[in-house]
Amino acid sequence: MSKTFDRFAGIAFLLIGLLFVLESQRISKSSYGSAVGPDIFPIGLGAVLILLSLRLLYETFRYQAKTESGEPVLYKKFLIIFVSALLYAALLEPLGYVITTFAFLLIAFQTMERGKWIKSIIIAGIFSFGVYYFFAEFLGGSLPGFPVF
Amino acid sequence: MNTLQFLMDGFSIAFQWQNILFAFVGVLIGTAVGVLPGIGPMSGVALLIPVTATLTAGLPTEAAAASSIILLAGVYYGAMYGGSTTSILLNTPGESSSVVTTLDGYQMAKQGRAGSALSIAAIGSFAAEIISLIGLVLLAEPLSNVALQFGPAEYFSLMLLGLAAVSGLAGKSMTKALMMTVFGLMLGTIGIDAVSGIARFTYDIPVLYSGLEFLTIAVGLFALGEVFKTVLERDHEDGTMAKIGRILPTRQDLKESAAPILRGSFLGFFIGVLPGAGATLASFFSYIGEKKFSKNPEQFGKGAIAGVAGPESANNAASGGAMIPLLTLGIPGSGTTAILMGALIMYNIQPGPLLFDDHPEVAWGLIASMFVGNLMLLILNMPLVKVFAKIIQTPKKYLLPIIIAISFFGVYAVQYTTFDLYLLLACGVLGYLFTKNDFPVAPLVLALVLGPMIENNMRRALTISNGDFSTFVTNPISLVLLLIAAAWLLVPLLLKLKGRSVVLNEEG
């Protein structure tokens, strides 16, 4: 549990709550003249979230910050995998499923642990081709297979 | 038609060859999910929804829904069996409800009795599932008949109770749990409003019109969140695995565990039926109970077989019991059942009192298949436990990237939008951050599933009462439900103020 995170989350959720209440005012009122339109529920939720966020912020001033356990956090590995996952998502449609999945898996395997290239290539290959052929060819699903030039 | 007749019809569905196959695949994957530390039943089920959706694509809706839910439920109860394996062999629980099993299970393994512990866990789980299934069969009709009398006001209050129960017991801070619940409800309002047809919070972005996809959010928060956590905080080195040895329990073992299994089953069943109190609590209470009942309580923690038999039965019975509110009332009592409910809704099948009338094939087919699946699990787990134990050794290096790839495939193959892939990644990061900082994610998913229904029932009730909010408290059943909901939130708070420690449910 981290005080900084809790404070940050408290403020973020407070803003989300405010935004919800304000934006809900712009939703048109009920179309059939009933007292309960599509705006009531979101306004109520926004108000409750604001109250809860204030309560959380108040709580962060009361408890003692605990010393963080000395767990080493491997940001570098995570960032490489996360950025390659973003690229995977962005390139999936233009480059097709097989190529992007193969590339992503290979990069991720090697990021997790260097070496054993041949084994990595084989596993990545079996997964990407296997899933594509099983799903698209055998089951008749649709996936962008290969780039269309 | 009476219950028995319905059950027989259910068996005729469960015995169709494709459904036997689905149940088998489900329990097999479920056991693997339970055995692999890091993937719990929630992420396992969430990951498999898209896969089953594509597998059943050619079938008519009703049959497709029955087959998918048979597979997904198999994963759920299979994981409950598998979770004990790592607890016993590695002293590492495969999922949270097997935490207590480590206490005596690992000690037994150290004494060379791993085989007995594993087989007693399997036998106990089997007995517990069968007992809770019989309970489900007996209670399904009467409970759904009661729920059929409910109007919108009662339904609204009942769902609030479900939300309150899950948020009240989840995580360390109730403020945070409630914030996640409200946030989940808010996410559920994005999209076109079902009653008035007005777009809310969409800002002319076309992908938002149909709302945020439940599947993407669940897979992101649970499966990817878990993967990111393992990548960021490499788990400590894997312990040495105990040898299994003789698999069959001795007659003495059986004698000592029979009573704990029975007690654990009934206790687990009743705890499972209560919303919010899940398998983790059930196994915990069963352990405490067995220690009290035992003639040699000093044996506990040193390899008492009752300390494995009781909790393992209780956690399986609880997962069976949790199906009751889901199927009969349409209120999921835990994170995993919320995901199962989301899966049913994807097939346009609304769990709840009408389920047994409108879709008897789905409801009774599922119940019957659970009998079949549990028998399969018992048969699988006794001789094959050594094979499953091998799964533990799957290197994380390959496992984690493949889980990311499976979730990408699953989400894309169902949604066909890159937007959902970005949303998936964002939910993965949020899932990691939230869980790490004690913001429980199970209430968020539950709220996301229940949100639209809560709102519709609220508005229907208010339309009937001409906008008078007092309709929720003047209606007696609704008032009682609301009072229980309030008590669920207030009692732990009061106990805390008095300085009592409150048992928390960390599983979803």
Side-chain angles (χ1 to χ4, degrees), chain A residues 5-6 23 36 38 41 46 59 74 77 89-90 93 109 135 142, chain B residues 54 175-176 193 200 203 232 234 397 412 416 418 422 437 455 462:
Chain A
F5 183 86
D6 283 0
E23 286 293 296
V36 275
F41 194 62
E59 280 175 8
L74 309 165
K77 261 185 191 177
E93 279 177 356
F109 288 157
F135 180 71
S142 79
Chain B
T54 50
T175 315
K176 291 181 185 177
D193 169 36
R200 293 189 293 189
Y203 304 103
L232 278 162
R234 173 179 286 265
K397 168 188 178 183
Y412 189 82
Y416 299 113
T418 325
Y422 294 124
N437 292 290
E455 188 185 5
L462 287 175

PDB file of all heavy atoms in Angstrom, chain A residues 5-6 23 36 38 41 46 59 74 77 89-90 93 109 135 142, chain B residues 54 175-176 193 200 203 232 234 397 412 416 418 422 437 455 462:
ATOM      1  N   PHE A   5       0.393   6.677  -4.003  1.00  0.00           N
ATOM      2  CA  PHE A   5      -0.551   6.150  -4.982  1.00  0.00           C
ATOM      3  C   PHE A   5      -1.977   6.436  -4.541  1.00  0.00           C
ATOM      4  O   PHE A   5      -2.810   6.854  -5.344  1.00  0.00           O
ATOM      5  CB  PHE A   5      -0.358   4.646  -5.178  1.00  0.00           C
ATOM      6  CG  PHE A   5      -1.268   4.070  -6.223  1.00  0.00           C
ATOM      7  CD1 PHE A   5      -0.907   4.079  -7.559  1.00  0.00           C
ATOM      8  CD2 PHE A   5      -2.513   3.545  -5.872  1.00  0.00           C
ATOM      9  CE1 PHE A   5      -1.761   3.570  -8.531  1.00  0.00           C
ATOM     10  CE2 PHE A   5      -3.373   3.046  -6.849  1.00  0.00           C
ATOM     11  CZ  PHE A   5      -2.983   3.059  -8.176  1.00  0.00           C
ATOM     12  N   ASP A   6      -2.264   6.213  -3.245  1.00  0.00           N
ATOM     13  CA  ASP A   6      -3.622   6.425  -2.755  1.00  0.00           C
ATOM     14  C   ASP A   6      -4.049   7.882  -2.950  1.00  0.00           C
ATOM     15  O   ASP A   6      -5.183   8.164  -3.330  1.00  0.00           O
ATOM     16  CB  ASP A   6      -3.728   6.045  -1.282  1.00  0.00           C
ATOM     17  CG  ASP A   6      -3.781   4.538  -1.098  1.00  0.00           C
ATOM     18  OD1 ASP A   6      -3.724   3.848  -2.129  1.00  0.00           O
ATOM     19  OD2 ASP A   6      -3.880   4.069   0.043  1.00  0.00           O
ATOM     20  N   GLU A  23     -20.614  16.312 -16.966  1.00  0.00           N
ATOM     21  CA  GLU A  23     -20.960  15.838 -18.302  1.00  0.00           C
ATOM     22  C   GLU A  23     -22.378  15.285 -18.342  1.00  0.00           C
ATOM     23  O   GLU A  23     -23.029  15.336 -19.380  1.00  0.00           O
ATOM     24  CB  GLU A  23     -19.968  14.773 -18.750  1.00  0.00           C
ATOM     25  CG  GLU A  23     -18.613  15.337 -19.130  1.00  0.00           C
ATOM     26  CD  GLU A  23     -18.687  16.191 -20.383  1.00  0.00           C
ATOM     27  OE1 GLU A  23     -19.010  15.636 -21.438  1.00  0.00           O
ATOM     28  OE2 GLU A  23     -18.436  17.404 -20.294  1.00  0.00           O
ATOM     29  N   VAL A  36     -37.492  10.209 -14.544  1.00  0.00           N
ATOM     30  CA  VAL A  36     -36.202   9.536 -14.491  1.00  0.00           C
ATOM     31  C   VAL A  36     -35.605   9.404 -15.877  1.00  0.00           C
ATOM     32  O   VAL A  36     -36.004   8.562 -16.661  1.00  0.00           O
ATOM     33  CB  VAL A  36     -36.330   8.151 -13.822  1.00  0.00           C
ATOM     34  CG1 VAL A  36     -36.228   8.310 -12.336  1.00  0.00           C
ATOM     35  CG2 VAL A  36     -37.630   7.491 -14.195  1.00  0.00           C
ATOM     36  N   PRO A  38     -32.023   9.489 -18.552  1.00  0.00           N
ATOM     37  CA  PRO A  38     -30.739   8.783 -18.604  1.00  0.00           C
ATOM     38  C   PRO A  38     -29.634   9.498 -17.832  1.00  0.00           C
ATOM     39  O   PRO A  38     -28.521   9.011 -17.772  1.00  0.00           O
ATOM     40  CB  PRO A  38     -30.426   8.741 -20.106  1.00  0.00           C
ATOM     41  CG  PRO A  38     -31.217   9.831 -20.708  1.00  0.00           C
ATOM     42  CD  PRO A  38     -32.430  10.013 -19.849  1.00  0.00           C
ATOM     43  N   PHE A  41     -28.848   8.402 -13.109  1.00  0.00           N
ATOM     44  CA  PHE A  41     -27.951   7.374 -12.591  1.00  0.00           C
ATOM     45  C   PHE A  41     -26.489   7.838 -12.617  1.00  0.00           C
ATOM     46  O   PHE A  41     -25.810   7.805 -11.583  1.00  0.00           O
ATOM     47  CB  PHE A  41     -28.168   6.085 -13.397  1.00  0.00           C
ATOM     48  CG  PHE A  41     -27.578   4.852 -12.802  1.00  0.00           C
ATOM     49  CD1 PHE A  41     -27.992   4.387 -11.561  1.00  0.00           C
ATOM     50  CD2 PHE A  41     -26.611   4.140 -13.492  1.00  0.00           C
ATOM     51  CE1 PHE A  41     -27.455   3.227 -11.020  1.00  0.00           C
ATOM     52  CE2 PHE A  41     -26.063   2.984 -12.958  1.00  0.00           C
ATOM     53  CZ  PHE A  41     -26.484   2.529 -11.719  1.00  0.00           C
ATOM     54  N   GLY A  46     -21.579   9.748  -9.928  1.00  0.00           N
ATOM     55  CA  GLY A  46     -20.512  10.744  -9.846  1.00  0.00           C
ATOM     56  C   GLY A  46     -20.447  11.333  -8.449  1.00  0.00           C
ATOM     57  O   GLY A  46     -19.363  11.445  -7.860  1.00  0.00           O
ATOM     58  N   GLU A  59      -8.435   9.614   4.569  1.00  0.00           N
ATOM     59  CA  GLU A  59      -7.780   8.459   5.187  1.00  0.00           C
ATOM     60  C   GLU A  59      -6.269   8.492   4.986  1.00  0.00           C
ATOM     61  O   GLU A  59      -5.510   8.077   5.853  1.00  0.00           O
ATOM     62  CB  GLU A  59      -8.331   7.154   4.601  1.00  0.00           C
ATOM     63  CG  GLU A  59      -9.653   6.739   5.197  1.00  0.00           C
ATOM     64  CD  GLU A  59     -10.224   5.505   4.504  1.00  0.00           C
ATOM     65  OE1 GLU A  59      -9.532   4.887   3.680  1.00  0.00           O
ATOM     66  OE2 GLU A  59     -11.391   5.175   4.789  1.00  0.00           O
ATOM     67  N   LEU A  74      11.274  -4.667 -11.930  1.00  0.00           N
ATOM     68  CA  LEU A  74      12.024  -4.758 -13.173  1.00  0.00           C
ATOM     69  C   LEU A  74      11.360  -3.904 -14.259  1.00  0.00           C
ATOM     70  O   LEU A  74      10.712  -4.423 -15.149  1.00  0.00           O
ATOM     71  CB  LEU A  74      12.099  -6.224 -13.619  1.00  0.00           C
ATOM     72  CG  LEU A  74      12.596  -7.186 -12.532  1.00  0.00           C
ATOM     73  CD1 LEU A  74      12.309  -8.621 -12.902  1.00  0.00           C
ATOM     74  CD2 LEU A  74      14.079  -6.990 -12.309  1.00  0.00           C
ATOM     75  N   LYS A  77      12.450  -4.544 -18.239  1.00  0.00           N
ATOM     76  CA  LYS A  77      11.813  -5.684 -18.892  1.00  0.00           C
ATOM     77  C   LYS A  77      10.367  -5.376 -19.222  1.00  0.00           C
ATOM     78  O   LYS A  77       9.887  -5.625 -20.324  1.00  0.00           O
ATOM     79  CB  LYS A  77      11.836  -6.887 -17.949  1.00  0.00           C
ATOM     80  CG  LYS A  77      12.936  -7.824 -18.255  1.00  0.00           C
ATOM     81  CD  LYS A  77      12.854  -9.047 -17.389  1.00  0.00           C
ATOM     82  CE  LYS A  77      14.161  -9.778 -17.589  1.00  0.00           C
ATOM     83  NZ  LYS A  77      14.312 -10.936 -16.791  1.00  0.00           N
ATOM     84  N   ALA A  89      -0.317  -4.356 -31.137  1.00  0.00           N
ATOM     85  CA  ALA A  89      -1.696  -3.924 -31.360  1.00  0.00           C
ATOM     86  C   ALA A  89      -1.787  -3.023 -32.588  1.00  0.00           C
ATOM     87  O   ALA A  89      -2.697  -3.158 -33.406  1.00  0.00           O
ATOM     88  CB  ALA A  89      -2.216  -3.183 -30.127  1.00  0.00           C
ATOM     89  N   ALA A  90      -0.807  -2.115 -32.725  1.00  0.00           N
ATOM     90  CA  ALA A  90      -0.872  -1.144 -33.820  1.00  0.00           C
ATOM     91  C   ALA A  90      -0.642  -1.803 -35.170  1.00  0.00           C
ATOM     92  O   ALA A  90      -1.232  -1.403 -36.172  1.00  0.00           O
ATOM     93  CB  ALA A  90       0.148  -0.042 -33.589  1.00  0.00           C
ATOM     94  N   GLU A  93      -3.312  -5.148 -37.692  1.00  0.00           N
ATOM     95  CA  GLU A  93      -4.130  -5.079 -38.903  1.00  0.00           C
ATOM     96  C   GLU A  93      -3.302  -4.883 -40.170  1.00  0.00           C
ATOM     97  O   GLU A  93      -3.494  -5.624 -41.131  1.00  0.00           O
ATOM     98  CB  GLU A  93      -5.215  -4.019 -38.743  1.00  0.00           C
ATOM     99  CG  GLU A  93      -6.371  -4.624 -37.935  1.00  0.00           C
ATOM    100  CD  GLU A  93      -7.507  -3.679 -37.626  1.00  0.00           C
ATOM    101  OE1 GLU A  93      -7.397  -2.485 -37.973  1.00  0.00           O
ATOM    102  OE2 GLU A  93      -8.501  -4.134 -37.035  1.00  0.00           O
ATOM    103  N   PHE A 109       9.976 -13.322 -25.401  1.00  0.00           N
ATOM    104  CA  PHE A 109      10.744 -14.456 -24.865  1.00  0.00           C
ATOM    105  C   PHE A 109      12.165 -14.015 -24.552  1.00  0.00           C
ATOM    106  O   PHE A 109      12.713 -14.308 -23.489  1.00  0.00           O
ATOM    107  CB  PHE A 109      10.814 -15.602 -25.882  1.00  0.00           C
ATOM    108  CG  PHE A 109       9.524 -16.354 -26.078  1.00  0.00           C
ATOM    109  CD1 PHE A 109       9.292 -17.071 -27.247  1.00  0.00           C
ATOM    110  CD2 PHE A 109       8.544 -16.362 -25.102  1.00  0.00           C
ATOM    111  CE1 PHE A 109       8.116 -17.771 -27.432  1.00  0.00           C
ATOM    112  CE2 PHE A 109       7.362 -17.063 -25.278  1.00  0.00           C
ATOM    113  CZ  PHE A 109       7.153 -17.768 -26.456  1.00  0.00           C
ATOM    114  N   PHE A 135      -7.553 -21.388 -36.226  1.00  0.00           N
ATOM    115  CA  PHE A 135      -8.703 -20.487 -36.126  1.00  0.00           C
ATOM    116  C   PHE A 135      -9.231 -20.080 -37.496  1.00  0.00           C
ATOM    117  O   PHE A 135     -10.416 -20.209 -37.782  1.00  0.00           O
ATOM    118  CB  PHE A 135      -8.310 -19.247 -35.324  1.00  0.00           C
ATOM    119  CG  PHE A 135      -9.432 -18.274 -35.176  1.00  0.00           C
ATOM    120  CD1 PHE A 135     -10.511 -18.560 -34.368  1.00  0.00           C
ATOM    121  CD2 PHE A 135      -9.416 -17.072 -35.866  1.00  0.00           C
ATOM    122  CE1 PHE A 135     -11.561 -17.673 -34.233  1.00  0.00           C
ATOM    123  CE2 PHE A 135     -10.462 -16.176 -35.742  1.00  0.00           C
ATOM    124  CZ  PHE A 135     -11.533 -16.478 -34.925  1.00  0.00           C
ATOM    125  N   SER A 142     -12.258 -15.130 -38.807  1.00  0.00           N
ATOM    126  CA  SER A 142     -11.518 -14.193 -39.649  1.00  0.00           C
ATOM    127  C   SER A 142     -10.477 -13.453 -38.834  1.00  0.00           C
ATOM    128  O   SER A 142     -10.745 -12.909 -37.779  1.00  0.00           O
ATOM    129  CB  SER A 142     -12.468 -13.230 -40.348  1.00  0.00           C
ATOM    130  OG  SER A 142     -12.882 -12.227 -39.486  1.00  0.00           O
TER     131      SER A 142
ATOM    132  N   THR B  54     -15.312 -18.594 -30.186  1.00  0.00           N
ATOM    133  CA  THR B  54     -14.996 -18.967 -31.561  1.00  0.00           C
ATOM    134  C   THR B  54     -15.223 -20.452 -31.797  1.00  0.00           C
ATOM    135  O   THR B  54     -15.661 -20.852 -32.864  1.00  0.00           O
ATOM    136  CB  THR B  54     -13.546 -18.611 -31.906  1.00  0.00           C
ATOM    137  OG1 THR B  54     -12.706 -19.122 -30.883  1.00  0.00           O
ATOM    138  CG2 THR B  54     -13.351 -17.129 -32.010  1.00  0.00           C
ATOM    139  N   THR B 175     -13.375   1.668   1.719  1.00  0.00           N
ATOM    140  CA  THR B 175     -13.487   2.857   0.872  1.00  0.00           C
ATOM    141  C   THR B 175     -13.030   2.524  -0.546  1.00  0.00           C
ATOM    142  O   THR B 175     -13.700   2.841  -1.527  1.00  0.00           O
ATOM    143  CB  THR B 175     -12.596   3.980   1.418  1.00  0.00           C
ATOM    144  OG1 THR B 175     -12.770   4.055   2.818  1.00  0.00           O
ATOM    145  CG2 THR B 175     -12.944   5.300   0.788  1.00  0.00           C
ATOM    146  N   LYS B 176     -11.880   1.857  -0.613  1.00  0.00           N
ATOM    147  CA  LYS B 176     -11.340   1.543  -1.938  1.00  0.00           C
ATOM    148  C   LYS B 176     -12.247   0.570  -2.682  1.00  0.00           C
ATOM    149  O   LYS B 176     -12.492   0.718  -3.872  1.00  0.00           O
ATOM    150  CB  LYS B 176      -9.945   0.952  -1.796  1.00  0.00           C
ATOM    151  CG  LYS B 176      -8.924   1.964  -1.328  1.00  0.00           C
ATOM    152  CD  LYS B 176      -7.575   1.308  -1.232  1.00  0.00           C
ATOM    153  CE  LYS B 176      -6.558   2.269  -0.657  1.00  0.00           C
ATOM    154  NZ  LYS B 176      -5.262   1.616  -0.484  1.00  0.00           N
ATOM    155  N   ASP B 193     -27.807   4.492 -24.218  1.00  0.00           N
ATOM    156  CA  ASP B 193     -28.713   4.136 -23.130  1.00  0.00           C
ATOM    157  C   ASP B 193     -29.840   3.268 -23.662  1.00  0.00           C
ATOM    158  O   ASP B 193     -30.533   3.634 -24.620  1.00  0.00           O
ATOM    159  CB  ASP B 193     -29.252   5.433 -22.510  1.00  0.00           C
ATOM    160  CG  ASP B 193     -30.387   5.155 -21.559  1.00  0.00           C
ATOM    161  OD1 ASP B 193     -30.322   4.131 -20.872  1.00  0.00           O
ATOM    162  OD2 ASP B 193     -31.322   5.970 -21.517  1.00  0.00           O
ATOM    163  N   ARG B 200     -24.457   8.225 -24.265  1.00  0.00           N
ATOM    164  CA  ARG B 200     -23.881   8.850 -23.076  1.00  0.00           C
ATOM    165  C   ARG B 200     -22.368   8.668 -23.086  1.00  0.00           C
ATOM    166  O   ARG B 200     -21.872   7.563 -23.283  1.00  0.00           O
ATOM    167  CB  ARG B 200     -24.461   8.197 -21.811  1.00  0.00           C
ATOM    168  CG  ARG B 200     -25.929   8.499 -21.648  1.00  0.00           C
ATOM    169  CD  ARG B 200     -26.422   8.053 -20.312  1.00  0.00           C
ATOM    170  NE  ARG B 200     -26.402   6.592 -20.169  1.00  0.00           N
ATOM    171  CZ  ARG B 200     -26.946   5.965 -19.143  1.00  0.00           C
ATOM    172  NH1 ARG B 200     -27.514   6.637 -18.187  1.00  0.00           N
ATOM    173  NH2 ARG B 200     -26.898   4.660 -19.066  1.00  0.00           N
ATOM    174  N   TYR B 203     -18.900  10.894 -26.931  1.00  0.00           N
ATOM    175  CA  TYR B 203     -18.142  11.947 -27.624  1.00  0.00           C
ATOM    176  C   TYR B 203     -17.939  11.646 -29.103  1.00  0.00           C
ATOM    177  O   TYR B 203     -16.864  11.815 -29.647  1.00  0.00           O
ATOM    178  CB  TYR B 203     -16.792  12.170 -26.921  1.00  0.00           C
ATOM    179  CG  TYR B 203     -16.982  12.485 -25.474  1.00  0.00           C
ATOM    180  CD1 TYR B 203     -16.749  11.521 -24.508  1.00  0.00           C
ATOM    181  CD2 TYR B 203     -17.455  13.730 -25.078  1.00  0.00           C
ATOM    182  CE1 TYR B 203     -16.979  11.803 -23.164  1.00  0.00           C
ATOM    183  CE2 TYR B 203     -17.680  14.013 -23.744  1.00  0.00           C
ATOM    184  CZ  TYR B 203     -17.448  13.054 -22.797  1.00  0.00           C
ATOM    185  OH  TYR B 203     -17.680  13.321 -21.486  1.00  0.00           O
ATOM    186  N   LEU B 232       7.052  -7.638 -13.609  1.00  0.00           N
ATOM    187  CA  LEU B 232       7.661  -6.552 -12.844  1.00  0.00           C
ATOM    188  C   LEU B 232       8.320  -7.030 -11.558  1.00  0.00           C
ATOM    189  O   LEU B 232       9.363  -6.543 -11.163  1.00  0.00           O
ATOM    190  CB  LEU B 232       6.603  -5.506 -12.502  1.00  0.00           C
ATOM    191  CG  LEU B 232       6.313  -4.520 -13.612  1.00  0.00           C
ATOM    192  CD1 LEU B 232       5.005  -3.825 -13.379  1.00  0.00           C
ATOM    193  CD2 LEU B 232       7.422  -3.478 -13.715  1.00  0.00           C
ATOM    194  N   ARG B 234       9.507 -10.243 -10.341  1.00  0.00           N
ATOM    195  CA  ARG B 234       9.816 -11.652 -10.535  1.00  0.00           C
ATOM    196  C   ARG B 234       9.574 -12.415  -9.231  1.00  0.00           C
ATOM    197  O   ARG B 234      10.141 -12.077  -8.195  1.00  0.00           O
ATOM    198  CB  ARG B 234      11.271 -11.783 -10.948  1.00  0.00           C
ATOM    199  CG  ARG B 234      11.766 -13.204 -11.027  1.00  0.00           C
ATOM    200  CD  ARG B 234      13.196 -13.163 -11.462  1.00  0.00           C
ATOM    201  NE  ARG B 234      13.258 -12.844 -12.889  1.00  0.00           N
ATOM    202  CZ  ARG B 234      13.335 -13.784 -13.818  1.00  0.00           C
ATOM    203  NH1 ARG B 234      13.360 -15.030 -13.488  1.00  0.00           N
ATOM    204  NH2 ARG B 234      13.384 -13.444 -15.087  1.00  0.00           N
ATOM    205  N   LYS B 397       9.256 -17.776 -18.598  1.00  0.00           N
ATOM    206  CA  LYS B 397       9.780 -17.100 -19.776  1.00  0.00           C
ATOM    207  C   LYS B 397       8.868 -17.302 -20.988  1.00  0.00           C
ATOM    208  O   LYS B 397       8.622 -16.381 -21.750  1.00  0.00           O
ATOM    209  CB  LYS B 397      11.165 -17.662 -20.056  1.00  0.00           C
ATOM    210  CG  LYS B 397      11.726 -17.293 -21.387  1.00  0.00           C
ATOM    211  CD  LYS B 397      13.007 -18.036 -21.675  1.00  0.00           C
ATOM    212  CE  LYS B 397      13.468 -17.642 -23.070  1.00  0.00           C
ATOM    213  NZ  LYS B 397      14.667 -18.344 -23.494  1.00  0.00           N
ATOM    214  N   TYR B 412      -9.244  -9.767 -29.924  1.00  0.00           N
ATOM    215  CA  TYR B 412      -9.371  -9.324 -31.310  1.00  0.00           C
ATOM    216  C   TYR B 412     -10.333 -10.219 -32.084  1.00  0.00           C
ATOM    217  O   TYR B 412     -11.141  -9.728 -32.878  1.00  0.00           O
ATOM    218  CB  TYR B 412      -8.004  -9.296 -31.999  1.00  0.00           C
ATOM    219  CG  TYR B 412      -8.083  -8.637 -33.348  1.00  0.00           C
ATOM    220  CD1 TYR B 412      -8.053  -7.254 -33.458  1.00  0.00           C
ATOM    221  CD2 TYR B 412      -8.228  -9.389 -34.505  1.00  0.00           C
ATOM    222  CE1 TYR B 412      -8.168  -6.639 -34.686  1.00  0.00           C
ATOM    223  CE2 TYR B 412      -8.349  -8.787 -35.732  1.00  0.00           C
ATOM    224  CZ  TYR B 412      -8.314  -7.413 -35.816  1.00  0.00           C
ATOM    225  OH  TYR B 412      -8.447  -6.800 -37.039  1.00  0.00           O
ATOM    226  N   TYR B 416     -12.804  -7.572 -33.134  1.00  0.00           N
ATOM    227  CA  TYR B 416     -12.307  -7.056 -34.421  1.00  0.00           C
ATOM    228  C   TYR B 416     -11.947  -5.573 -34.388  1.00  0.00           C
ATOM    229  O   TYR B 416     -12.099  -4.885 -35.393  1.00  0.00           O
ATOM    230  CB  TYR B 416     -13.307  -7.275 -35.551  1.00  0.00           C
ATOM    231  CG  TYR B 416     -13.614  -8.724 -35.797  1.00  0.00           C
ATOM    232  CD1 TYR B 416     -14.880  -9.225 -35.543  1.00  0.00           C
ATOM    233  CD2 TYR B 416     -12.632  -9.581 -36.274  1.00  0.00           C
ATOM    234  CE1 TYR B 416     -15.164 -10.566 -35.748  1.00  0.00           C
ATOM    235  CE2 TYR B 416     -12.910 -10.918 -36.483  1.00  0.00           C
ATOM    236  CZ  TYR B 416     -14.170 -11.401 -36.221  1.00  0.00           C
ATOM    237  OH  TYR B 416     -14.444 -12.713 -36.422  1.00  0.00           O
ATOM    238  N   THR B 418      -8.929  -2.647 -33.102  1.00  0.00           N
ATOM    239  CA  THR B 418      -7.654  -2.385 -32.448  1.00  0.00           C
ATOM    240  C   THR B 418      -7.886  -1.605 -31.163  1.00  0.00           C
ATOM    241  O   THR B 418      -7.108  -1.705 -30.228  1.00  0.00           O
ATOM    242  CB  THR B 418      -6.742  -1.577 -33.382  1.00  0.00           C
ATOM    243  OG1 THR B 418      -6.999  -2.002 -34.712  1.00  0.00           O
ATOM    244  CG2 THR B 418      -5.298  -1.806 -33.066  1.00  0.00           C
ATOM    245  N   TYR B 422      -5.904  -1.769 -27.347  1.00  0.00           N
ATOM    246  CA  TYR B 422      -5.314  -0.711 -26.522  1.00  0.00           C
ATOM    247  C   TYR B 422      -5.994  -0.667 -25.153  1.00  0.00           C
ATOM    248  O   TYR B 422      -5.341  -0.521 -24.118  1.00  0.00           O
ATOM    249  CB  TYR B 422      -5.437   0.654 -27.214  1.00  0.00           C
ATOM    250  CG  TYR B 422      -4.624   0.760 -28.478  1.00  0.00           C
ATOM    251  CD1 TYR B 422      -5.219   1.101 -29.687  1.00  0.00           C
ATOM    252  CD2 TYR B 422      -3.250   0.520 -28.468  1.00  0.00           C
ATOM    253  CE1 TYR B 422      -4.479   1.193 -30.854  1.00  0.00           C
ATOM    254  CE2 TYR B 422      -2.503   0.603 -29.620  1.00  0.00           C
ATOM    255  CZ  TYR B 422      -3.117   0.940 -30.818  1.00  0.00           C
ATOM    256  OH  TYR B 422      -2.388   1.032 -31.966  1.00  0.00           O
ATOM    257  N   ASN B 437      -2.094  -1.927  -4.962  1.00  0.00           N
ATOM    258  CA  ASN B 437      -2.390  -0.934  -3.929  1.00  0.00           C
ATOM    259  C   ASN B 437      -3.712  -1.185  -3.212  1.00  0.00           C
ATOM    260  O   ASN B 437      -4.345  -0.258  -2.725  1.00  0.00           O
ATOM    261  CB  ASN B 437      -2.378   0.462  -4.551  1.00  0.00           C
ATOM    262  CG  ASN B 437      -0.987   0.842  -4.984  1.00  0.00           C
ATOM    263  OD1 ASN B 437      -0.110   1.085  -4.172  1.00  0.00           O
ATOM    264  ND2 ASN B 437      -0.761   0.850  -6.296  1.00  0.00           N
ATOM    265  N   GLU B 455     -29.421  -0.134 -13.302  1.00  0.00           N
ATOM    266  CA  GLU B 455     -29.991   1.128 -13.758  1.00  0.00           C
ATOM    267  C   GLU B 455     -31.370   0.918 -14.366  1.00  0.00           C
ATOM    268  O   GLU B 455     -32.316   1.661 -14.067  1.00  0.00           O
ATOM    269  CB  GLU B 455     -29.061   1.797 -14.769  1.00  0.00           C
ATOM    270  CG  GLU B 455     -29.561   3.189 -15.083  1.00  0.00           C
ATOM    271  CD  GLU B 455     -28.775   3.878 -16.159  1.00  0.00           C
ATOM    272  OE1 GLU B 455     -27.878   3.260 -16.749  1.00  0.00           O
ATOM    273  OE2 GLU B 455     -29.089   5.047 -16.428  1.00  0.00           O
ATOM    274  N   LEU B 462     -38.851   3.497 -10.779  1.00  0.00           N
ATOM    275  CA  LEU B 462     -39.181   4.909 -10.600  1.00  0.00           C
ATOM    276  C   LEU B 462     -40.261   5.366 -11.573  1.00  0.00           C
ATOM    277  O   LEU B 462     -41.058   6.242 -11.253  1.00  0.00           O
ATOM    278  CB  LEU B 462     -37.919   5.765 -10.758  1.00  0.00           C
ATOM    279  CG  LEU B 462     -36.930   5.696  -9.598  1.00  0.00           C
ATOM    280  CD1 LEU B 462     -35.682   6.478  -9.911  1.00  0.00           C
ATOM    281  CD2 LEU B 462     -37.580   6.210  -8.318  1.00  0.00           C
TER     282      LEU B 462
END
